[in-house]
C-alpha cells in the first residue's frame, strides 16, 4: 500500500489568485491577492520562498511571521492565518493595498483630501505609540513600503521584519542589507561611538518624518530633501520639523506628537478624525453621547470618503441598532450610507434591518421609517412587503398620534404597487373608509382622499366601481375645505375610470353642488372639473364611436403603470398635518384668487387628466392635448412649491383648526358655515355615524340599493313653510327630478343618504326639532294626567313624600 504525503499548501484554507504579485515592501516578501476557499472572502497573502544560502534572511522572515501573529492592534496589519513549511512562509492578512499604490490610484481620481491624510497619519503614529510605549519595541522600518490601506481607507502599519526590543535584551537592531530601506535611517546611526544622547523612539520618529514627506511629495530621493517641506500643510510643518531635527533628544514621543497635532487648529483637528475616534470608542460611550453623535453624523457623511462610509460607518450603524439600542437616530445616516451600496449589498445589509425596524413599537422609529420609505422601497420585494411590513404599517392607521396616521396614509402611495389583492382592495380600503369618515383631523381626511386618487389605478375594477365615486362624493361634503378640493381633484385624476353614465348621473350632480361652495378655491376647481367632464361627454355625444375608447379603462384590471405620479409628493398631493393643510387653515378665512394656492391634479403616465374645456364643444383629442399645454406650467409653479415650505407644527395647526371653525361660523346663511354654527350641530364623530365602526367600504361608500322611506311623521320639503309668504301646499319644484329612470337604482343627487357628512340639512334639523318638541309636549301632558290620577286615588301626599319632576 502506498502512502502519499499531504501537501500543506494544497490543504491550506486560503488560495492565491492567479495573477502577478502586487508591489509589496522591499525585501523577501511578495504580496499576493487571495481568497478564502470556503467563502471566497478577499484576503492578502504575503509569501516568502526559502532559498538555499539565505539563512539570515529566512530568520528575519520567521521573526516577522512571529511578531505579526502575536501583535494585535487596530492600527497594525491584522493577522488571519499562516503557513510555515520548509520551502515557504505564508502570512494571511486582511485585504490591503500598499500605501504607494493606493496614493497613486487616488491621485488619478483627484487625490486624497487633507482630512483623509490626517487620519491615516494619525493611525500610523498611534501604532508607533503602542509599540514603543506599551510594548517597548522599536519598529525600525517605518516608510512608505511598510504602510498598507484596507478597503475602508484605514492605514495599517506592517513591515515588522526588522523590529527589535527597546530594552536591548534581544540584541541590537537586525541588519537590513537593503539600500532602499537604509536611506530612512536617522543620521545618528552613523555615529558608532554611541555618544549621541537619544530616546528609544528617536529613530522611529525620524522615519515617521520621512513617511510624512513622502505622503505629500512622493518618493524620497535622498535624506537631504527632508530640509524642504514641499507640499506639507502649514499646520503640520512645525511638528514635522521636530521629527527630522538633527538632535534626536528633542524628537517628540509619538503620544506627544499626536497631542500636539490634535490641538485646536492642528493638522489632525477636524471632523473626520473626531468621527473616527468616536467610532473606535463607541462601545464605551454613554447613550446620550451616541444619540448626539448619530444626529450630527448625517451632516458630515457627504464630505466623507465613500469607502469609509460603506466599510466603517455602516457596520457601526448596524451594530448600534442591533446591540446598542440606538433607535431611530441611526435611520437617517443609515439610509444616507445605503446610497453607496449596490442593490445586492443593500439587500444583504440594509433590508433585514429595515424589516426588523418596522416591528418596533418606538413611535419615533416608525415615523422616521415612513418618512424615508422612498429611499428603500425599490429594494423591497412583494412577499416581504405583504407578509412582514404591511401588517406592521397598518397599525399606524389606528395610532393616537396624528403625525403617524398621516405618514401611514402617505406611505401607501409607495406600498400600493407592491400590495396583493387582499391587502390592497380589502384591508387598506377598510382603513381608508374609517379615516375619511371618522378621523378628527381634517388634513388626514384630506390626505386619505388624495392618496385614494393616486392609487385608484391599482385597485381592481370592482373595487374602483364600488369605492371611488362614493369616496370622492363624500369628500366634497367634508367641512374641511382642502378635503373638498381633494374630492374634486380626485374625480379629475381618476376621470378615465368612470363610465359615461356615472359621469352624467353621479359625478356631475355632486360637482354642480360645489359651484356655490363658500370657498372660492373649491368653486374654482369644481368649475374646472365640470368643464372637463362636460367636454368628455360632449365629445362622445358628437361621435358615439369614441365611447369604447373613452371607457377602455373602466373595467380594465389594475394598471400599475398609471401610478407613476405616486413616486413623489409633488402635484396635487396635500402633505397634511405639518404642511400644506396647516397653511390653508391658518390663511383660510377669506382667500382670494391671488392668495389661495389650490393643488393641481397630477398627470399620470398614460392617463392624462381632464383639462378645462372652452365654451365651444371640443373633441376628445383636443381635450387630451389641452392638459399638457394648460396645466403643466400651473402644476410646476404652484403645486411643486408646497412641499418646500415650512407649514408649521401640529400644535399651531390645532389652534388654526379651531380658529378656522370660528371663521366658518360667521359666514353667510345657507352655506356650510350656517350648518356648522347651527345650535343643533353635533361633533364630526356624531355626524359620521353612518359609517360602520370597522370602516367597511361595502357599508360606507357603497351606493344604497334603494331609497329608504322617510321616518314616520317627517314632512317633505314641499310641505314645509320655510318662513316665506307662500303656503306649504305649493308643489315641490324639484319633485319631478327626485326619481330618474335608470337601470340601476341610485340615491337622489340632493339626498346624501349614507354619504351624509353633516347629518340632515337645516330643514331636516328643523323637522327633528319640531318632532322633538311635540313629543316633549305629549310626554308632559301624559305625566300631568298620571299625577292627577294618583292624587285623586290616594288623597293629599304626605309632607316630604313628593318627588321632584
Amino acid at each position: 500500500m502506498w502512502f502519499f504525503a499531504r501537501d500543506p499548501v494544497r490543504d491550506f484554507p486560503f488560495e492565491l489568485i492567479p495573477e502577478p504579485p502586487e508591489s509589496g515592501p522591499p525585501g523577501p516578501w511578495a504580496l499576493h491577492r487571495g481568497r478564502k476557499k470556503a467563502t471566497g472572502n478577499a484576503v492578502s497573502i504575503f509569501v516568502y520562498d526559502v532559498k538555499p544560502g539565505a539563512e539570515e534572511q529566512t530568520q528575519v522572515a520567521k521573526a516577522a511571521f512571529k511578531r505579526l501573529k502575536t501583535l494585535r492592534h487596530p492600527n497594525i496589519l491584522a493577522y488571519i492565518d499562516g503557513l510555515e513549511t520548509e520551502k515557504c512562509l505564508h502570512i494571511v492578512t486582511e485585504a490591503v493595498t500598499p500605501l504607494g499604490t493606493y496614493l497613486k490610484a487616488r491621485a488619478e481620481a483627484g487625490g486624497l483630501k487633507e482630512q483623509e491624510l490626517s487620519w491615516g497619519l494619525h493611525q500610523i503614529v498611534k501604532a508607533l505609540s503602542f509599540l514603543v510605549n506599551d510594548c517597548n519595541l522599536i519598529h525600525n522600518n517605518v516608510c512608505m513600503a511598510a504602510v498598507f490601506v484596507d478597503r475602508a481607507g484605514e492605514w495599517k502599519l506592517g513591515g515588522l521584519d526588522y523590529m527589535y526590543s527597546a530594552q536591548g535584551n534581544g540584541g541590537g537592531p537586525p541588519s537590513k542589507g537593503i539600500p532602499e530601506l537604509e536611506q530612512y535611517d536617522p543620521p545618528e546611526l552613523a555615529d558608532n561611538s554611541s555618544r549621541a544622547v537619544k530616546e528609544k523612539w528617536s529613530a522611529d520618529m525620524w522615519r515617521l518624518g520621512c513617511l510624512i514627506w513622502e505622503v505629500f511629495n512622493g518618493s524620497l530621493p535622498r535624506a537631504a530633501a527632508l530640509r524642504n517641506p514641499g507640499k506639507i500643510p502649514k499646520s503640520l510643518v512645525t511638528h514635522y520639523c521636530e521629527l527630522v531635527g538633527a538632535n534626536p533628544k528633542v524628537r517628540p514621543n509619538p503620544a506627544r506628537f499626536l497631542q500636539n497635532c490634535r490641538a485646536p487648529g492642528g493638522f489632525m483637528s477636524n471632523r473626520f478624525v473626531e468621527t473616527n475616534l468616536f467610532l473606535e470608542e463607541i462601545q464605551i460611550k454613554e447613550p446620550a453621547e451616541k444619540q448626539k453623535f448619530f444626529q450630527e453624523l448625517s451632516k458630515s457623511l457627504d464630505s466623507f470618503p465613500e469607502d469609509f462610509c460603506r466599510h466603517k460607518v455602516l457596520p457601526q450603524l448596524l451594530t448600534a441598532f442591533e446591540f446598542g439600542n440606538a433607535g431611530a437616530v441611526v435611520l437617517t445616516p443609515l439610509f444616507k450610507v445605503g446610497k453607496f451600496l449596490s442593490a445586492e449589498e443593500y439587500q444583504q445589509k440594509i433590508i433585514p434591518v429595515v424589516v426588523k425596524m418596522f416591528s418596533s413599537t418606538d413611535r419615533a422609529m416608525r415615523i422616521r421609517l415612513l418618512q424615508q420609505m422612498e429611499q428603500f422601497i425599490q429594494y423591497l420585494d412583494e412577499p416581504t412587503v405583504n407578509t412582514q411590513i404591511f401588517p406592521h404599517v397598518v397599525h399606524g392607521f389606528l395610532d393616537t398620534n396624528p403625525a403617524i396616521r398621516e405618514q401611514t396614509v402617505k406611505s401607501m402611495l409607495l406600498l400600493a404597487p407592491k400590495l396583493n389583492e387582499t391587502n390592497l382592495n380589502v384591508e387598506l380600503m377598510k382603513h381608508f373608509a374609517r379615516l375619511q369618515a371618522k378621523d378628527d383631523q381634517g388634513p388626514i381626511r384630506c390626505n386619505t382622499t388624495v392618496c385614494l386618487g393616486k392609487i385608484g389605478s391599482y385597485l381592481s375594477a370592482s373595487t374602483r366601481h364600488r369605492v371611488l365615486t362614493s369616496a370622492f362624493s363624500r369628500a366634497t361634503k367634508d367641512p374641511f375645505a382642502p378635503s373638498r378640493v381633494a374630492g374634486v381633484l380626485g374625480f379629475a385624476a381618476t376621470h378615465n375610470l368612470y363610465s359615461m353614465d356615472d359621469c352624467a348621473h353621479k359625478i356631475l350632480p355632486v360637482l354642480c353642488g360645489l359651484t356655490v361652495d363658500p370657498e372660492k378655491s373649491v368653486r374654482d376647481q369644481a368649475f374646472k372639473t365640470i368643464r372637463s367632464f362636460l367636454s368628455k361627454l360632449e365629445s362622445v355625444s358628437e361621435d358615439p364611436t369614441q365611447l369604447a375608447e373613452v371607457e377602455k379603462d373602466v373595467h380594465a384590471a389594475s394598471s400599475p403603470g398609471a401610478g407613476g405620479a405616486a413616486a413623489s409628493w409633488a402635484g396635487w398631493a396635500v402633505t397634511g398635518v405639518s404642511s400644506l393643510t396647516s397653511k390653508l387653515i391658518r390663511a383660510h378665512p377669506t382667500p382670494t384668487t391671488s392668495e389661495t394656492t389650490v393643488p393641481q391634479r397630477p398627470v399620470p403616465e398614460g392617463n392624462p387628466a381632464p383639462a378645462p374645456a372652452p365654451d365651444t364643444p371640443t373633441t376628445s383629442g383636443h381635450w387630451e392635448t389641452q392638459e399638457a399645454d394648460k396645466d403643466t406650467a400651473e402644476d410646476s409653479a404652484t403645486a411643486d412649491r408646497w412641499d418646500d415650505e415650512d407649514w408649521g407644527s401640529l400644535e399651531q395647526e390645532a389652534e388654526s383648526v379651531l380658529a378656522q371653525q370660528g371663521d366658518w361660523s360667521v359666514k353667510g346663511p345657507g352655506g356650510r358655515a350656517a350648518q356648522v354654527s347651527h345650535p343643533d350641530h353635533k361633533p364630526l364623530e356624531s355626524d359620521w355615524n353612518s359609517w360602520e365602526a370597522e370602516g367597511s367600504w361595502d357599508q360606507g361608500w357603497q351606493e344604497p340599493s334603494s331609497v329608504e322611506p322617510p321616518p314616520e311623521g317627517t314632512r317633505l320639503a314641499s310641505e314645509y313653510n320655510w318662513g316665506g309668504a307662500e303656503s306649504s301646499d305649493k308643489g315641490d319644484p324639484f319633485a319631478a327630478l327626485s326619481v330618474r329612470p335608470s337601470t340601476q337604482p341610485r340615491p337622489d343627487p340632493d339626498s346624501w343618504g349614507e354619504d351624509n357628512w353633516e347629518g340632515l340639512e337645516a330643514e331636516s334639523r328643523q323637522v327633528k326639532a319640531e318632532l322633538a318638541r311635540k313629543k316633549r309636549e305629549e310626554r308632559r301632558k301624559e305625566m300631568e294626567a298620571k299625577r292627577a290620577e294618583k292624587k285623586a286615588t290616594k288623597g293629599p301626599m304626605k309632607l316630604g313624600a313628593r318627588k321632584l319632576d
Side-chain angles (χ1 to χ4, degrees):
M1 182 179 293
W2 293 88
F3 294 95
F4 296 94
R6 297 178 61 184
D7 184 358
V9 176
R10 185 178 59 188
D11 296 337
F12 194 51
F14 298 89
E15 62 181 355
L16 301 177
I17 294 178
E19 61 181 27
E22 300 184 41
S23 56
W29 294 100
L31 176 59
H32 296 263
R33 292 175 58 209
R35 58 174 170 255
K36 190 172 184 178
K37 294 178 180 178
T39 62
N41 293 339
V43 295
S44 289
I45 303 179
F46 292 84
V47 179
Y48 170 73
D49 294 323
V50 178
K51 299 178 182 179
E55 288 79 8
E56 183 177 357
Q57 196 175 50
T58 301
Q59 292 303 317
V60 169
K62 290 183 177 181
F65 189 114
K66 181 180 179 180
R67 292 290 190 187
L68 193 61
K69 187 176 182 179
T70 56
L71 284 173
R72 297 289 183 176
H73 190 268
N75 305 125
I76 294 179
L77 197 60
Y79 173 89
I80 297 178
D81 201 351
L83 174 66
E84 183 176 354
T85 67
E86 296 179 353
K87 296 182 179 181
C88 65
L89 294 175
H90 286 187
I91 301 178
V92 181
T93 70
E94 57 186 320
V96 292
T97 302
L99 178 59
T101 305
Y102 179 77
L103 292 177
K104 183 178 179 181
R106 290 298 301 270
E108 295 174 355
L112 284 177
K113 297 180 181 179
E114 187 173 300
Q115 63 178 6
E116 299 176 68
L117 295 173
S118 67
W119 174 242
L121 291 173
H122 184 284
Q123 293 176 295
I124 299 304
V125 178
K126 198 170 182 179
L128 290 175
S129 178
F130 166 74
L131 292 175
V132 70
N133 294 320
D134 299 335
C135 305
N136 272 319
L137 294 173
I138 305 301
H139 187 273
N140 196 34
N141 191 28
V142 181
C143 61
M144 180 82 77
V147 180
F148 302 88
V149 184
D150 67 8
R151 61 180 184 174
E154 305 277 272
W155 292 18
K156 308 284 184 173
L157 183 61
L160 309 183
D161 306 67
Y162 309 106
M163 183 178 290
Y164 65 96
S165 174
Q167 298 175 345
N169 51 13
S175 174
K176 299 179 182 179
I178 301 176
E180 293 89 342
L181 298 179
E182 291 179 350
Q183 68 173 343
Y184 298 105
D185 292 339
E188 63 267 19
L189 288 185
D191 187 357
N192 297 325
S193 62
S194 301
R195 291 176 297 177
V197 180
K198 57 185 179 181
E199 302 289 352
K200 58 183 178 181
W201 57 78
S202 296
D204 276 350
M205 297 309 286
W206 169 278
R207 297 184 181 99
L208 176 64
C210 298
L211 172 64
I212 292 175
W213 194 94
E214 287 188 313
V215 166
F216 290 98
N217 299 297
S219 298
L220 180 65
R222 56 189 181 277
L226 296 173
R227 299 175 181 176
N228 181 17
K231 299 179 181 179
I232 298 176
K234 293 182 180 180
S235 58
L236 185 59
V237 169
T238 302
H239 309 299
Y240 160 78
C241 292
E242 292 178 352
L243 300 178
V244 295
N247 185 358
K249 184 68 177 178
V250 300
R251 295 173 196 158
N253 184 288
R256 188 167 70 85
F257 179 81
L258 277 182
Q259 185 178 359
N260 295 338
C261 292
R262 289 278 295 129
F267 178 67
M268 297 180 185
S269 178
N270 55 62
R271 177 64 179 167
F272 188 60
V273 173
E274 293 171 359
T275 299
N276 278 281
L277 292 176
F278 191 97
L279 289 174
E280 288 184 350
E281 303 174 352
I282 193 170
Q283 302 301 331
I284 61 174
K285 296 294 184 180
E286 294 294 329
E289 294 179 292
K290 295 180 183 179
Q291 291 277 332
K292 182 179 179 182
F293 171 75
F294 287 125
Q295 287 174 353
E296 298 175 351
L297 179 61
S298 297
K299 304 175 184 177
S300 306
L301 288 177
D302 292 333
S303 61
F304 288 173
E306 180 178 326
D307 290 338
F308 168 77
C309 294
R310 292 174 55 196
H311 301 295
K312 186 167 185 179
V313 175
L314 180 59
Q316 292 290 352
L317 291 173
L318 297 177
T319 302
F321 170 75
E322 191 75 21
F323 305 107
N325 297 322
V329 292
V330 304
L331 288 178
T332 301
L334 181 66
F335 292 135
K336 210 163 193 178
V337 174
K339 296 178 181 178
F340 301 128
L341 303 179
S342 64
E344 182 179 357
E345 290 177 314
Y346 204 102
Q347 286 285 347
Q348 294 176 352
K349 298 180 179 180
I350 306 293
I351 293 303
V353 177
V354 169
V355 172
K356 185 176 181 180
M357 285 178 177
F358 270 108
S359 62
S360 172
T361 57
D362 182 6
R363 278 178 166 174
M365 180 174 293
R366 286 161 56 193
I367 198 168
R368 291 276 185 89
L369 281 170
L370 295 174
Q371 289 172 340
Q372 303 185 50
M373 188 177 290
E374 276 188 293
Q375 302 188 34
F376 59 84
I377 187 64
Q378 65 269 28
Y379 301 105
L380 296 173
D381 54 25
E382 293 186 10
T384 301
V385 170
N386 286 281
T387 60
Q388 301 183 56
I389 292 183
F390 184 75
H392 296 294
V393 172
V394 293
H395 293 309
F397 290 124
L398 305 173
D399 201 286
T400 57
N401 189 327
I404 293 182
R405 297 202 304 274
E406 179 200 26
Q407 289 297 333
T408 304
V409 170
K410 291 163 62 176
S411 69
M412 292 302 111
L413 285 179
L414 300 170
L415 290 178
K418 297 178 180 288
L419 294 180
N420 57 31
E421 181 78 13
T422 302
N423 285 339
L424 178 61
N425 294 283
V426 179
E427 186 70 17
L428 180 58
M429 293 300 101
K430 179 180 70 175
H431 287 289
F432 270 19
R434 184 185 52 79
L435 284 175
Q436 198 200 34
K438 295 181 177 293
D439 200 287
D440 60 350
Q441 295 288 331
I444 295 179
R445 302 196 303 272
C446 177
N447 275 334
T448 303
T449 304
V450 169
C451 185
L452 184 61
K454 282 181 170 285
I455 68 174
S457 59
Y458 299 117
L459 302 176
S460 64
S462 60
T463 303
R464 290 198 304 259
H465 178 75
R466 178 169 53 89
V467 167
L468 294 183
T469 304
S470 297
F472 297 140
S473 297
R474 180 179 296 276
T476 61
K477 303 177 181 76
D478 195 307
F480 188 58
S483 291
R484 302 199 295 275
V485 173
V488 176
L489 294 172
F491 279 127
T494 56
H495 69 99
N496 59 305
L497 304 178
Y498 308 113
S499 65
M500 292 296 97
D501 185 71
D502 286 346
C503 292
H505 293 156
K506 296 180 180 180
I507 299 176
L508 281 176
V510 173
L511 295 175
C512 288
L514 296 175
T515 57
V516 291
D517 193 274
E519 296 298 331
K520 189 174 187 304
S521 59
V522 180
R523 298 196 300 270
D524 290 344
Q525 289 299 328
F527 282 118
K528 187 176 182 181
T529 308
I530 287 172
R531 287 193 294 267
S532 300
F533 276 102
L534 286 176
S535 173
K536 193 173 184 179
L537 290 168
E538 190 174 13
S539 63
V540 173
S541 175
E542 299 241 344
D543 185 5
T545 59
Q546 295 185 12
L547 180 61
E549 176 66 20
V550 171
E551 294 187 349
K552 65 178 181 180
D553 296 327
V554 174
H555 301 290
S558 59
S559 175
S568 67
W569 298 110
W572 61 290
V574 178
T575 49
V577 172
S578 58
S579 50
L580 173 65
T581 47
S582 180
K583 180 182 179 182
L584 291 177
I585 294 172
R586 292 196 297 271
H588 199 58
T590 54
T592 62
T593 304
S594 59
E595 295 172 351
T596 305
T597 302
V598 181
Q600 302 296 320
R601 58 186 180 277
V603 184
E605 297 177 6
N607 295 298
D615 295 336
T616 57
T618 57
T619 63
S620 177
H622 184 206
W623 171 81
E624 297 285 355
T625 307
Q626 283 185 338
E627 178 62 26
D629 297 338
K630 187 168 183 179
D631 287 345
T632 301
E634 189 176 3
D635 288 351
S636 60
T638 60
D640 293 347
R641 188 171 61 249
W642 294 347
D643 293 338
D644 299 330
E645 297 190 37
D646 181 12
W647 302 106
S649 65
L650 180 60
E651 293 79 7
Q652 291 175 328
E653 183 205 350
E655 297 173 0
S656 301
V657 169
L658 297 177
Q660 176 63 21
Q661 291 176 349
D663 292 334
W664 291 337
S665 65
V666 297
K667 291 185 182 293
R672 297 184 187 273
Q675 301 169 15
V676 174
S677 60
H678 195 279
D680 294 337
H681 178 71
K682 297 174 292 184
L684 293 179
E685 186 70 21
S686 301
D687 292 339
W688 299 334
N689 284 337
S690 60
W691 285 73
E692 294 295 324
E694 298 81 11
S696 170
W697 289 104
D698 295 332
Q699 301 297 330
W701 283 344
Q702 186 175 3
E703 293 292 342
S705 58
S706 61
V707 181
E708 298 180 359
E712 183 179 356
T714 303
R715 291 184 295 173
L716 298 176
S718 59
E719 298 174 350
Y720 187 80
N721 187 354
W722 292 87
E726 299 179 0
S727 61
S728 61
D729 59 354
K730 183 176 180 179
D732 185 357
F734 300 99
L737 302 178
S738 60
V739 179
R740 302 187 184 201
S742 176
T743 57
Q744 297 179 352
R746 58 183 181 80
D748 186 271
D750 294 334
S751 175
W752 293 343
E754 289 185 358
D755 289 341
N756 187 3
W757 285 79
E758 299 289 344
L760 296 176
E761 291 294 342
E763 65 271 24
S764 300
R765 286 196 292 269
Q766 293 179 14
V767 170
K768 284 186 176 181
E770 181 67 19
L771 291 174
R773 186 185 63 78
K774 289 181 178 180
K775 288 183 179 180
R776 288 196 299 270
E777 184 67 21
E778 293 175 358
R779 180 63 175 168
R780 186 180 62 80
K781 292 179 180 180
E782 182 180 350
M783 294 300 294
E784 288 179 355
K786 287 183 178 180
R787 291 194 199 102
E789 183 179 356
K790 288 182 180 180
K791 186 174 181 180
T793 57
K794 295 184 179 181
M797 297 181 66
K798 295 182 181 180
L799 183 61
R802 182 177 181 182
K803 296 182 181 180
L804 296 177
D805 294 336

